[in-house]
Amino acid sequence: MSPSPLPDKWLNEVQRCEQAVYRAARAVDAVSSTQARHQLQTVVRRMDAELPNVRALSELGRGLESSESRDDAVVGRVQSQLDDAAARFGMVTDHVLEAVVELVAAPDLSRIHEQVLVLRDQFPLLRPMSAVFGPPPGSAPARALMTAA
């Protein structure tokens, strides 16, 4: 009997993000208030719009990992970015599910609107690629903005 193939850690993170979007979409689809459903769907659409970037980052990581000139530090940063994205997708989904449960318990469209605004401020869920290929974490930026007086 041949050993089972090792799980693809890159695909696993993509699937976690996809599942988060799927769960949030199913919960929002069940909301009876059209106005609340439309507001919550804006969050789900933003999540869904970021999935191609998650998939691209996964492919990048897989390619870098199998490269002859593999840079373990960069591979680690790509993996960290994917882990972070999966966690952030999950957190947004959890907040969407909480909003749906609260809406069922006590319908309040103004509260839903406030929660949607807070959720939309969380985007983008995926960090910029400069976080992967930029300077190592903790290093000082080459240039910084001055604080407003």
Side-chain angles (χ1 to χ4, degrees):
M1 179 176 208
S2 64
S4 62
L6 294 174
D8 183 344
K9 67 181 177 185
W10 303 103
L11 181 60
N12 183 48
E13 299 300 339
V14 171
Q15 289 173 337
R16 285 178 58 198
C17 295
E18 291 170 341
Q19 279 296 316
V21 174
Y22 177 80
R23 287 182 20 238
R26 295 298 68 83
V28 169
D29 286 347
V31 171
S32 61
S33 165
T34 303
Q35 185 178 1
R37 187 173 55 249
H38 286 301
Q39 287 184 29
L40 289 166
Q41 283 172 335
T42 63
V43 174
V44 175
R45 282 192 298 272
R46 290 282 307 269
M47 292 172 72
D48 189 56
E50 289 196 36
L51 285 176
N53 294 335
V54 171
R55 291 181 191 109
L57 191 58
S58 172
E59 287 300 315
L60 172 66
R62 186 179 292 112
L64 289 171
E65 189 173 55
S66 64
S67 171
E68 288 181 21
S69 60
R70 176 180 170 161
D71 183 342
D72 287 338
V74 174
V75 171
R77 288 197 301 264
V78 172
Q79 183 64 50
S80 177
Q81 291 292 328
L82 272 175
D83 291 343
D84 182 58
R88 292 171 60 84
F89 270 78
M91 288 183 343
V92 170
T93 293
D94 290 346
H95 288 297
V96 167
L97 297 176
E98 288 172 17
V100 169
V101 168
E102 288 176 14
L103 187 61
V104 169
D108 181 352
L109 293 179
S110 64
R111 188 178 73 239
I112 290 297
H113 180 71
E114 290 171 13
Q115 290 175 339
V116 167
L117 291 176
V118 169
L119 287 171
R120 289 172 68 183
D121 285 342
Q122 304 303 311
F123 290 91
L125 299 177
L126 198 61
R127 302 291 183 222
M129 289 302 270
S130 61
V132 175
F133 293 107
S139 67
R143 180 174 72 183
L145 295 176
M146 296 174 41
T147 56

